[in-house]
Amino acid sequence: MATSVSVELPASIQLPTLSAKYEHLRVNALRTNATLEAACAWGNTPDGGMNRLASNDDDKRVRDWFIAETSKLGCHHKIDAMGNIFAIRPGQNNALAPIGLGSHLDTQPTGGKYDGILGVVSAMEVLQTIHENNITTYAPLAVIDWTNEEGARFPPAMLCSGVWGGAFTTEYGHSRTDPEGRTLKAELERIGYLGETECSFQANPLTAHFEVHIEQGPVLDQAEEAAAVVKGVQSIRWYNLGLVGREAHTGTTPMDRRSDALLGAAKMIVETNRFVTEGEIAARGGRATIAVINSSPQSINTIAGHVDFGLDIRAPADSDVELIEAMCRKRFAEICDEIGLEMTFDNFWVSTAVNFDPTMIECVRSSAREIGCMTELVSGAGHDSVYTNKKVPTAMIFVRCRDGVSHNPAEYTRPEDCAAGAQVLLGAYLRYDDYLRRAAAKM
Amino acid sequence: MATSVSVELPASIQLPTLSAKYEHLRVNALRTNATLEAACAWGNTPDGGMNRLASNDDDKRVRDWFIAETSKLGCHHKIDAMGNIFAIRPGQNNALAPIGLGSHLDTQPTGGKYDGILGVVSAMEVLQTIHENNITTYAPLAVIDWTNEEGARFPPAMLCSGVWGGAFTTEYGHSRTDPEGRTLKAELERIGYLGETECSFQANPLTAHFEVHIEQGPVLDQAEEAAAVVKGVQSIRWYNLGLVGREAHTGTTPMDRRSDALLGAAKMIVETNRFVTEGEIAARGGRATIAVINSSPQSINTIAGHVDFGLDIRAPADSDVELIEAMCRKRFAEICDEIGLEMTFDNFWVSTAVNFDPTMIECVRSSAREIGCMTELVSGAGHDSVYTNKKVPTAMIFVRCRDGVSHNPAEYTRPEDCAAGAQVLLGAYLRYDDYLRRAAAKM
């Protein structure tokens, strides 16, 4: 799925190794956390969380700070038409596109200090570590702030990495509006971040993309590991289901003469859960959830004649999502027959599985093992890396977050885990940079 | 539960018999249906239904008509402080309180032509049949229009039979308001039906109460019988349940690390249904329904952290309602333990089982069998007879309605079934009147 267009790599290159000269390199844990605090100076909330919607005044202030800080570390900047900022530190071979280390500085309206911000801060710490050690990397390095990843102000999510990756046009991105009707283009212009660089991989390429992100799930917390290799992003399909039974009086209608749409929905929820908690689908990480449900009429003594619900199916492999869907369709139809219901089953959104680049994954794996982290995950949520992966080799690093809580002021990652994520990023990045150097030498 | 205070009946009386002189008596089917049409002349809607809320202008017009029609049949009238109208035809022993044949002329806002109206019309047909045959009954006969049975304009339902039966005070009944804030007392005064007779069994007694009503359920329709004996009204309890789990991302949260409140609710719905569709509880007519459900947050990719739902449990016997409740409490607690949920389980309304008077039931049974109707039911819905039963021997007759549909313009009962209900009422009434005559003779 990921394709490398900047460099053609011979298969003979052994992967990955870290040059002996870099083995001593360590990120600075205190500095990493100080940078994180600095990055949260604008838009923080009294409850310890963040409210920094894309392209608002606080987003402008943190962007100004980001440019100032990365300028001190030898970077020049490209700002593209979607406001994505590339802080570029030259390397030995500046004909090569930079290796990107990116994430986002915008947050949910009731978000935390780690989602996205930790990814940019980790990249800044890698930059600073390299800079203070006077290292000349082979490829240039780009620390990237992707605009409006959350999509909380300008839906959809991952909008501007999506434009860069070709999923959306710039025109589409510019025309997205917030609830007050202001367009993203106008708001970027207002804060001075409507850049002149065309927003696309073609006009402003990268060679690869690494991203650190909090897990937003409980696996690392329970595994008691600080960081994990992320091998891809789950396949996802969303469905709206409608059931029509027959409204009738709960008192006067015998149990065997009912067409109870809510009973049907309940059986479907229980069966769906069973499909993904038993056998091979469970072992392969299939997930299925029904969270939204509405019944009508809302009367305690009238049997529900109509029930609508949403179904969310996920798995690392597209084929498992398809299998779970097929199991649901078959079993739901049987339940409808048993109870006497009509059903509509609408698949309104599909996101196919994302498989990150094996070489990039190996760089992360090797680096993570150095600090004792063995967990490997498939992301359950979307990230900017989903869209960079459409154009360049991509991989991600997840960092433990307490109780898996995210999109909430209570979101929390321990200082030592923030530093661990940056350390894994440093090692993975240096491995990939060295890989490019060796690949070029062989060509 | 029912107590006879007007007459003390020796146990030696054989029950029930119909005097040979009445065996030829038949209601007039055409007239019954013509009276029904006449009773629907005010407040009918273009879709074939009715919209005649209690104490509105159309209710005044139908009351005026009711008084005029029953006056022609030898009745004088008592109107009580809740607007209940008693059209009384004297009997042989006018020291005895009348046998009431009653129901209601008000409707739901989108109601049908049969709910309540058929009961009053059947009683009018019995009156007319007796009158045209120059029969002098033993006890006086009262055809009764109970005010505001639906409670659609002035909640609660069965308000004015409830005042008569001592369940509510007159002050409470008077102070009920409609959505525009008008009190029932003011509206009764406005239409000229705030009567001077005190509204109570003590001030305005009956000896017994029969009521014809459409079934509002599908049993007779499926049994292919026109009418049924109603032996009582189900025991009912209503509950609000709240489940609290943990909101979490559907993509990032493994299946075995969830506290999914909607999954818990679904299991409870399935289990509750199982309790009342298997074994002895099913055989004894237990019913349980969950029709109202709400989950939050309403987000397809956030596991439901909160679910509230309503539970309606019914059975002919209070002990079965208690048993079903106990089974739910036990099993729901287990489900909460399995999934990791907190539960609240609030029983906010209780209506104990109503058992109609055995003598009255036997009168209905004997009369129904004469026209080939063998079905015996326990009402799943409340009726004015629930409250008359608190003071005097009461029984009901159900008439088949198409598909069990009620509270809907599509509500429909065939003309021949309307007449059948009136015929069963005639026979039951005459049997009870004869019973009173024979009882008095023995005393």
PDB file of all heavy atoms in Angstrom, chain B residues 87-116:
ATOM      1  N   ALA B  87     -77.486   8.124  33.615  1.00  0.00           N
ATOM      2  CA  ALA B  87     -78.834   8.138  33.031  1.00  0.00           C
ATOM      3  C   ALA B  87     -79.584   6.970  33.662  1.00  0.00           C
ATOM      4  O   ALA B  87     -79.301   5.806  33.360  1.00  0.00           O
ATOM      5  CB  ALA B  87     -78.756   7.995  31.518  1.00  0.00           C
ATOM      6  N   ILE B  88     -80.537   7.278  34.539  1.00  0.00           N
ATOM      7  CA  ILE B  88     -81.118   6.250  35.406  1.00  0.00           C
ATOM      8  C   ILE B  88     -82.548   5.917  34.997  1.00  0.00           C
ATOM      9  O   ILE B  88     -83.409   6.785  34.924  1.00  0.00           O
ATOM     10  CB  ILE B  88     -81.078   6.722  36.877  1.00  0.00           C
ATOM     11  CG1 ILE B  88     -79.616   6.988  37.291  1.00  0.00           C
ATOM     12  CG2 ILE B  88     -81.730   5.683  37.801  1.00  0.00           C
ATOM     13  CD1 ILE B  88     -79.476   7.743  38.589  1.00  0.00           C
ATOM     14  N   ARG B  89     -82.762   4.656  34.720  1.00  0.00           N
ATOM     15  CA  ARG B  89     -84.115   4.159  34.448  1.00  0.00           C
ATOM     16  C   ARG B  89     -84.560   3.394  35.696  1.00  0.00           C
ATOM     17  O   ARG B  89     -83.918   2.441  36.112  1.00  0.00           O
ATOM     18  CB  ARG B  89     -84.095   3.219  33.239  1.00  0.00           C
ATOM     19  CG  ARG B  89     -85.477   2.678  32.859  1.00  0.00           C
ATOM     20  CD  ARG B  89     -85.366   1.860  31.583  1.00  0.00           C
ATOM     21  NE  ARG B  89     -86.684   1.387  31.153  1.00  0.00           N
ATOM     22  CZ  ARG B  89     -87.240   0.238  31.536  1.00  0.00           C
ATOM     23  NH1 ARG B  89     -86.604  -0.563  32.360  1.00  0.00           N
ATOM     24  NH2 ARG B  89     -88.444  -0.105  31.081  1.00  0.00           N
ATOM     25  N   PRO B  90     -85.677   3.781  36.307  1.00  0.00           N
ATOM     26  CA  PRO B  90     -86.100   3.156  37.562  1.00  0.00           C
ATOM     27  C   PRO B  90     -86.406   1.683  37.369  1.00  0.00           C
ATOM     28  O   PRO B  90     -86.699   1.215  36.259  1.00  0.00           O
ATOM     29  CB  PRO B  90     -87.367   3.926  37.947  1.00  0.00           C
ATOM     30  CG  PRO B  90     -87.284   5.211  37.191  1.00  0.00           C
ATOM     31  CD  PRO B  90     -86.563   4.886  35.913  1.00  0.00           C
ATOM     32  N   GLY B  91     -86.329   0.955  38.450  1.00  0.00           N
ATOM     33  CA  GLY B  91     -86.661  -0.466  38.436  1.00  0.00           C
ATOM     34  C   GLY B  91     -87.811  -0.731  39.390  1.00  0.00           C
ATOM     35  O   GLY B  91     -88.541   0.185  39.762  1.00  0.00           O
ATOM     36  N   GLN B  92     -87.938  -1.991  39.787  1.00  0.00           N
ATOM     37  CA  GLN B  92     -88.999  -2.366  40.731  1.00  0.00           C
ATOM     38  C   GLN B  92     -88.654  -1.895  42.146  1.00  0.00           C
ATOM     39  O   GLN B  92     -89.493  -1.402  42.882  1.00  0.00           O
ATOM     40  CB  GLN B  92     -89.151  -3.895  40.703  1.00  0.00           C
ATOM     41  CG  GLN B  92     -90.161  -4.456  41.687  1.00  0.00           C
ATOM     42  CD  GLN B  92     -90.048  -5.975  41.737  1.00  0.00           C
ATOM     43  OE1 GLN B  92     -89.727  -6.617  40.727  1.00  0.00           O
ATOM     44  NE2 GLN B  92     -90.308  -6.551  42.903  1.00  0.00           N
ATOM     45  N   ASN B  93     -87.367  -2.056  42.498  1.00  0.00           N
ATOM     46  CA  ASN B  93     -86.912  -1.695  43.847  1.00  0.00           C
ATOM     47  C   ASN B  93     -85.975  -0.500  43.760  1.00  0.00           C
ATOM     48  O   ASN B  93     -84.757  -0.650  43.628  1.00  0.00           O
ATOM     49  CB  ASN B  93     -86.207  -2.892  44.486  1.00  0.00           C
ATOM     50  CG  ASN B  93     -85.693  -2.560  45.878  1.00  0.00           C
ATOM     51  OD1 ASN B  93     -85.862  -1.439  46.374  1.00  0.00           O
ATOM     52  ND2 ASN B  93     -85.084  -3.550  46.524  1.00  0.00           N
ATOM     53  N   ASN B  94     -86.567   0.688  43.844  1.00  0.00           N
ATOM     54  CA  ASN B  94     -85.755   1.887  43.661  1.00  0.00           C
ATOM     55  C   ASN B  94     -85.045   2.333  44.931  1.00  0.00           C
ATOM     56  O   ASN B  94     -84.342   3.345  44.930  1.00  0.00           O
ATOM     57  CB  ASN B  94     -86.590   2.995  43.048  1.00  0.00           C
ATOM     58  CG  ASN B  94     -86.980   2.638  41.618  1.00  0.00           C
ATOM     59  OD1 ASN B  94     -86.111   2.298  40.815  1.00  0.00           O
ATOM     60  ND2 ASN B  94     -88.271   2.614  41.325  1.00  0.00           N
ATOM     61  N   ALA B  95     -85.205   1.554  45.997  1.00  0.00           N
ATOM     62  CA  ALA B  95     -84.373   1.774  47.183  1.00  0.00           C
ATOM     63  C   ALA B  95     -82.981   1.216  46.946  1.00  0.00           C
ATOM     64  O   ALA B  95     -82.021   1.550  47.637  1.00  0.00           O
ATOM     65  CB  ALA B  95     -85.007   1.085  48.393  1.00  0.00           C
ATOM     66  N   LEU B  96     -82.908   0.356  45.956  1.00  0.00           N
ATOM     67  CA  LEU B  96     -81.623  -0.251  45.610  1.00  0.00           C
ATOM     68  C   LEU B  96     -80.870   0.700  44.670  1.00  0.00           C
ATOM     69  O   LEU B  96     -81.482   1.348  43.817  1.00  0.00           O
ATOM     70  CB  LEU B  96     -81.907  -1.587  44.911  1.00  0.00           C
ATOM     71  CG  LEU B  96     -80.853  -2.683  44.991  1.00  0.00           C
ATOM     72  CD1 LEU B  96     -80.530  -3.072  46.427  1.00  0.00           C
ATOM     73  CD2 LEU B  96     -81.359  -3.910  44.219  1.00  0.00           C
ATOM     74  N   ALA B  97     -79.560   0.751  44.843  1.00  0.00           N
ATOM     75  CA  ALA B  97     -78.756   1.560  43.916  1.00  0.00           C
ATOM     76  C   ALA B  97     -78.774   0.901  42.539  1.00  0.00           C
ATOM     77  O   ALA B  97     -78.918  -0.324  42.421  1.00  0.00           O
ATOM     78  CB  ALA B  97     -77.325   1.658  44.430  1.00  0.00           C
ATOM     79  N   PRO B  98     -78.633   1.692  41.495  1.00  0.00           N
ATOM     80  CA  PRO B  98     -78.704   1.124  40.139  1.00  0.00           C
ATOM     81  C   PRO B  98     -77.551   0.166  39.838  1.00  0.00           C
ATOM     82  O   PRO B  98     -76.470   0.259  40.410  1.00  0.00           O
ATOM     83  CB  PRO B  98     -78.602   2.345  39.218  1.00  0.00           C
ATOM     84  CG  PRO B  98     -78.837   3.534  40.066  1.00  0.00           C
ATOM     85  CD  PRO B  98     -78.454   3.161  41.470  1.00  0.00           C
ATOM     86  N   ILE B  99     -77.815  -0.748  38.919  1.00  0.00           N
ATOM     87  CA  ILE B  99     -76.730  -1.491  38.273  1.00  0.00           C
ATOM     88  C   ILE B  99     -76.198  -0.586  37.166  1.00  0.00           C
ATOM     89  O   ILE B  99     -76.957  -0.158  36.288  1.00  0.00           O
ATOM     90  CB  ILE B  99     -77.233  -2.817  37.673  1.00  0.00           C
ATOM     91  CG1 ILE B  99     -77.770  -3.731  38.788  1.00  0.00           C
ATOM     92  CG2 ILE B  99     -76.120  -3.506  36.877  1.00  0.00           C
ATOM     93  CD1 ILE B  99     -78.425  -5.003  38.270  1.00  0.00           C
ATOM     94  N   GLY B 100     -74.935  -0.281  37.223  1.00  0.00           N
ATOM     95  CA  GLY B 100     -74.336   0.622  36.222  1.00  0.00           C
ATOM     96  C   GLY B 100     -73.829  -0.140  35.017  1.00  0.00           C
ATOM     97  O   GLY B 100     -73.225  -1.207  35.156  1.00  0.00           O
ATOM     98  N   LEU B 101     -74.106   0.427  33.842  1.00  0.00           N
ATOM     99  CA  LEU B 101     -73.499  -0.070  32.599  1.00  0.00           C
ATOM    100  C   LEU B 101     -72.767   1.138  32.028  1.00  0.00           C
ATOM    101  O   LEU B 101     -73.408   2.070  31.535  1.00  0.00           O
ATOM    102  CB  LEU B 101     -74.566  -0.555  31.608  1.00  0.00           C
ATOM    103  CG  LEU B 101     -75.663  -1.512  32.112  1.00  0.00           C
ATOM    104  CD1 LEU B 101     -76.591  -1.903  30.949  1.00  0.00           C
ATOM    105  CD2 LEU B 101     -75.066  -2.770  32.739  1.00  0.00           C
ATOM    106  N   GLY B 102     -71.449   1.148  32.137  1.00  0.00           N
ATOM    107  CA  GLY B 102     -70.773   2.402  31.811  1.00  0.00           C
ATOM    108  C   GLY B 102     -69.508   2.236  31.006  1.00  0.00           C
ATOM    109  O   GLY B 102     -68.932   1.141  30.911  1.00  0.00           O
ATOM    110  N   SER B 103     -69.103   3.334  30.444  1.00  0.00           N
ATOM    111  CA  SER B 103     -67.785   3.484  29.822  1.00  0.00           C
ATOM    112  C   SER B 103     -67.618   4.983  29.549  1.00  0.00           C
ATOM    113  O   SER B 103     -68.154   5.787  30.332  1.00  0.00           O
ATOM    114  CB  SER B 103     -67.653   2.626  28.562  1.00  0.00           C
ATOM    115  OG  SER B 103     -66.289   2.460  28.221  1.00  0.00           O
ATOM    116  N   HIS B 104     -66.957   5.373  28.478  1.00  0.00           N
ATOM    117  CA  HIS B 104     -66.640   6.802  28.315  1.00  0.00           C
ATOM    118  C   HIS B 104     -66.812   7.255  26.874  1.00  0.00           C
ATOM    119  O   HIS B 104     -66.623   6.467  25.937  1.00  0.00           O
ATOM    120  CB  HIS B 104     -65.221   7.091  28.787  1.00  0.00           C
ATOM    121  CG  HIS B 104     -64.166   6.310  28.037  1.00  0.00           C
ATOM    122  ND1 HIS B 104     -63.489   6.835  26.976  1.00  0.00           N
ATOM    123  CD2 HIS B 104     -63.682   5.045  28.205  1.00  0.00           C
ATOM    124  CE1 HIS B 104     -62.627   5.919  26.510  1.00  0.00           C
ATOM    125  NE2 HIS B 104     -62.730   4.825  27.249  1.00  0.00           N
ATOM    126  N   LEU B 105     -67.126   8.528  26.724  1.00  0.00           N
ATOM    127  CA  LEU B 105     -67.343   9.114  25.386  1.00  0.00           C
ATOM    128  C   LEU B 105     -66.181  10.009  24.948  1.00  0.00           C
ATOM    129  O   LEU B 105     -66.200  10.521  23.830  1.00  0.00           O
ATOM    130  CB  LEU B 105     -68.658   9.907  25.358  1.00  0.00           C
ATOM    131  CG  LEU B 105     -69.943   9.043  25.458  1.00  0.00           C
ATOM    132  CD1 LEU B 105     -71.169   9.919  25.702  1.00  0.00           C
ATOM    133  CD2 LEU B 105     -70.139   8.209  24.178  1.00  0.00           C
ATOM    134  N   ASP B 106     -65.198  10.217  25.835  1.00  0.00           N
ATOM    135  CA  ASP B 106     -64.027  10.991  25.389  1.00  0.00           C
ATOM    136  C   ASP B 106     -63.074  10.059  24.634  1.00  0.00           C
ATOM    137  O   ASP B 106     -63.169   8.825  24.750  1.00  0.00           O
ATOM    138  CB  ASP B 106     -63.314  11.654  26.571  1.00  0.00           C
ATOM    139  CG  ASP B 106     -62.581  10.664  27.470  1.00  0.00           C
ATOM    140  OD1 ASP B 106     -63.152   9.585  27.770  1.00  0.00           O
ATOM    141  OD2 ASP B 106     -61.442  10.955  27.882  1.00  0.00           O
ATOM    142  N   THR B 107     -62.194  10.634  23.841  1.00  0.00           N
ATOM    143  CA  THR B 107     -61.240   9.835  23.034  1.00  0.00           C
ATOM    144  C   THR B 107     -59.835  10.410  23.145  1.00  0.00           C
ATOM    145  O   THR B 107     -59.636  11.513  23.652  1.00  0.00           O
ATOM    146  CB  THR B 107     -61.617   9.802  21.535  1.00  0.00           C
ATOM    147  OG1 THR B 107     -61.263  11.052  20.935  1.00  0.00           O
ATOM    148  CG2 THR B 107     -63.093   9.523  21.316  1.00  0.00           C
ATOM    149  N   GLN B 108     -58.905   9.652  22.613  1.00  0.00           N
ATOM    150  CA  GLN B 108     -57.537  10.142  22.391  1.00  0.00           C
ATOM    151  C   GLN B 108     -57.563  11.208  21.288  1.00  0.00           C
ATOM    152  O   GLN B 108     -58.493  11.233  20.479  1.00  0.00           O
ATOM    153  CB  GLN B 108     -56.640   8.977  21.939  1.00  0.00           C
ATOM    154  CG  GLN B 108     -56.338   7.959  23.021  1.00  0.00           C
ATOM    155  CD  GLN B 108     -55.276   8.427  23.988  1.00  0.00           C
ATOM    156  OE1 GLN B 108     -54.346   9.143  23.624  1.00  0.00           O
ATOM    157  NE2 GLN B 108     -55.428   8.049  25.248  1.00  0.00           N
ATOM    158  N   PRO B 109     -56.558  12.043  21.195  1.00  0.00           N
ATOM    159  CA  PRO B 109     -56.538  13.056  20.121  1.00  0.00           C
ATOM    160  C   PRO B 109     -56.459  12.429  18.724  1.00  0.00           C
ATOM    161  O   PRO B 109     -56.956  13.017  17.759  1.00  0.00           O
ATOM    162  CB  PRO B 109     -55.298  13.892  20.435  1.00  0.00           C
ATOM    163  CG  PRO B 109     -54.488  13.083  21.392  1.00  0.00           C
ATOM    164  CD  PRO B 109     -55.445  12.213  22.135  1.00  0.00           C
ATOM    165  N   THR B 110     -55.821  11.281  18.618  1.00  0.00           N
ATOM    166  CA  THR B 110     -55.848  10.544  17.344  1.00  0.00           C
ATOM    167  C   THR B 110     -56.411   9.161  17.628  1.00  0.00           C
ATOM    168  O   THR B 110     -55.762   8.146  17.391  1.00  0.00           O
ATOM    169  CB  THR B 110     -54.435  10.441  16.716  1.00  0.00           C
ATOM    170  OG1 THR B 110     -53.572   9.830  17.676  1.00  0.00           O
ATOM    171  CG2 THR B 110     -53.882  11.788  16.334  1.00  0.00           C
ATOM    172  N   GLY B 111     -57.624   9.152  18.142  1.00  0.00           N
ATOM    173  CA  GLY B 111     -58.253   7.911  18.559  1.00  0.00           C
ATOM    174  C   GLY B 111     -59.196   7.360  17.517  1.00  0.00           C
ATOM    175  O   GLY B 111     -59.280   7.844  16.389  1.00  0.00           O
ATOM    176  N   GLY B 112     -59.904   6.297  17.929  1.00  0.00           N
ATOM    177  CA  GLY B 112     -60.860   5.650  17.040  1.00  0.00           C
ATOM    178  C   GLY B 112     -62.286   5.789  17.552  1.00  0.00           C
ATOM    179  O   GLY B 112     -62.549   6.442  18.563  1.00  0.00           O
ATOM    180  N   LYS B 113     -63.200   5.124  16.853  1.00  0.00           N
ATOM    181  CA  LYS B 113     -64.632   5.276  17.129  1.00  0.00           C
ATOM    182  C   LYS B 113     -65.164   4.257  18.135  1.00  0.00           C
ATOM    183  O   LYS B 113     -66.377   4.215  18.378  1.00  0.00           O
ATOM    184  CB  LYS B 113     -65.415   5.118  15.824  1.00  0.00           C
ATOM    185  CG  LYS B 113     -65.234   6.273  14.858  1.00  0.00           C
ATOM    186  CD  LYS B 113     -66.051   6.051  13.597  1.00  0.00           C
ATOM    187  CE  LYS B 113     -66.127   7.340  12.778  1.00  0.00           C
ATOM    188  NZ  LYS B 113     -66.832   7.123  11.499  1.00  0.00           N
ATOM    189  N   TYR B 114     -64.311   3.413  18.669  1.00  0.00           N
ATOM    190  CA  TYR B 114     -64.800   2.280  19.454  1.00  0.00           C
ATOM    191  C   TYR B 114     -64.360   2.313  20.913  1.00  0.00           C
ATOM    192  O   TYR B 114     -65.124   1.914  21.793  1.00  0.00           O
ATOM    193  CB  TYR B 114     -64.354   0.974  18.777  1.00  0.00           C
ATOM    194  CG  TYR B 114     -64.853   0.897  17.347  1.00  0.00           C
ATOM    195  CD1 TYR B 114     -64.120   1.441  16.295  1.00  0.00           C
ATOM    196  CD2 TYR B 114     -66.094   0.352  17.067  1.00  0.00           C
ATOM    197  CE1 TYR B 114     -64.601   1.427  14.997  1.00  0.00           C
ATOM    198  CE2 TYR B 114     -66.592   0.332  15.768  1.00  0.00           C
ATOM    199  CZ  TYR B 114     -65.838   0.872  14.738  1.00  0.00           C
ATOM    200  OH  TYR B 114     -66.327   0.856  13.461  1.00  0.00           O
ATOM    201  N   ASP B 115     -63.138   2.770  21.148  1.00  0.00           N
ATOM    202  CA  ASP B 115     -62.576   2.795  22.498  1.00  0.00           C
ATOM    203  C   ASP B 115     -63.452   3.688  23.390  1.00  0.00           C
ATOM    204  O   ASP B 115     -63.462   4.902  23.225  1.00  0.00           O
ATOM    205  CB  ASP B 115     -61.140   3.325  22.401  1.00  0.00           C
ATOM    206  CG  ASP B 115     -60.447   3.474  23.753  1.00  0.00           C
ATOM    207  OD1 ASP B 115     -61.090   3.275  24.800  1.00  0.00           O
ATOM    208  OD2 ASP B 115     -59.253   3.818  23.743  1.00  0.00           O
ATOM    209  N   GLY B 116     -64.178   3.070  24.324  1.00  0.00           N
ATOM    210  CA  GLY B 116     -65.052   3.814  25.233  1.00  0.00           C
ATOM    211  C   GLY B 116     -66.441   4.014  24.654  1.00  0.00           C
ATOM    212  O   GLY B 116     -67.448   3.630  25.261  1.00  0.00           O
TER     213      GLY B 116
END
